[in-house]
Amino acid sequence: MRIIQITDLHVGTPEERPFDIDIRANFIKVLKAAKAVPHDLLVISGDLCLEEGDLAIYQWIKQQLDDFQFNYLVIPGNHDDKEMMVSTFGLHQQLQKGALFLTSPDDQPPLVLLDSGPGQVDETTLSLLQEYLQAHPAPICLFMHHPPMKMGVPFMDNKHALRNREPLLSVLTEHSYPISIFTGHYHVEKSMRWRNLDIHITPSCYFQIDWKKEDFAVDHHNIAYRYINWDGETLEHTVFYV
């Protein structure tokens, strides 16, 4: 399965240009780059909207994805509205017990997309994840918005980290096989290995922050996507700046 991940679009209204960035142009630019790469699935891992969920913005994003004819899946970030996204992107079938929890068909490599948009992974999602991992004794590829642990990025670790990291890590590390986790949220490119977990932060389509500083600082405005090739046993991935 060839997957392209983009994250942290932060699309606003047509008039909004925060930091003098044309965010909508950034989105179109990364879509054009992604479309040129043979792939099976596009994953957008949260923060589609600039500040908060906006129906008109979701509708515009969906129109662009449909115009480019992407096969795509989306999950919320902390700047999103899950209910609006479910309605706009037709995710009703991916709701399980009210939780947005997406998995690949059994004839495809194990793939999970889960919702950490509220800044934590709720009890229902934790239960669904535990059940899925128990039923799939194999390596897993997982997408979520927030990294499941602190990543050595002081500003984000101290102010915007996932709140209930310990219960999630307990579920993940109970799995006897490797889990490759692809996230966004931090606006950096960074990776960490801990126990059976390989965690990779994909850069934003908005701007990247200086990962070394305690206070917020923009590092650069280069945007990127991640290409992932996952066959259930072997996983390779690369970040491409566009």
Side-chain angles (χ1 to χ4, degrees), residues 6-181:
I6 61 175
T7 193
D8 296 86
L9 315 180
H10 289 282
V11 173
T13 65
E15 299 78 21
E16 289 179 300
R17 293 179 64 98
F19 299 99
D20 199 31
I21 297 170
D22 188 337
I23 310 173
R24 292 193 172 209
N26 275 3
F27 181 51
I28 299 300
K29 182 179 180 180
V30 79
L31 289 186
K32 287 180 177 178
K35 192 65 179 178
V37 179
H39 65 281
D40 305 300
L41 177 67
L42 173 71
V43 171
I44 305 180
S45 54
D47 278 2
L48 282 67
C49 289
L50 179 59
E51 293 291 346
E52 59 185 19
D54 183 298
L55 185 59
I57 291 172
Y58 290 133
Q59 290 171 340
W60 181 84
I61 290 171
K62 184 179 186 301
Q63 186 63 58
Q64 310 318 304
L65 294 169
D66 291 344
D67 287 349
F68 277 95
Q69 298 183 325
F70 279 104
N71 176 34
Y72 62 89
L73 292 172
V74 297
I75 51 175
N78 52 294
H79 290 283
D80 288 314
D81 183 295
K82 184 182 79 172
E83 285 70 27
M84 286 186 190
M85 288 181 64
V86 168
S87 175
T88 304
F89 296 102
L91 299 174
H92 301 89
Q93 292 186 344
Q94 280 73 43
L95 288 173
Q96 300 188 40
K97 303 176 183 177
L100 192 57
F101 188 80
L102 297 75
T103 61
S104 57
D106 288 340
D107 62 346
Q108 295 181 7
L111 184 70
V112 175
L113 287 77
L114 61 81
D115 178 12
S116 68
Q120 61 183 15
V121 178
D122 64 30
E123 291 294 330
T124 300
T125 303
L126 285 174
S127 177
L128 290 167
L129 177 61
Q130 187 171 45
E131 292 172 7
Y132 182 89
L133 294 177
Q134 290 172 350
H136 293 79
I140 303 292
C141 185
L142 185 150
F143 290 88
M144 57 188 295
H145 182 65
H146 296 72
M149 61 189 299
K150 292 187 175 183
M151 295 291 291
V153 181
F155 173 73
M156 296 301 291
D157 284 344
N158 295 335
K159 297 183 181 295
H160 301 289
L162 186 74
R163 292 194 296 274
N164 63 333
R165 297 183 299 277
E166 293 306 317
L168 175 60
L169 290 171
S170 177
V171 170
L172 293 170
T173 55
E174 284 177 359
H175 195 58
S176 300
Y177 296 84
I179 303 177
S180 298
I181 305 173

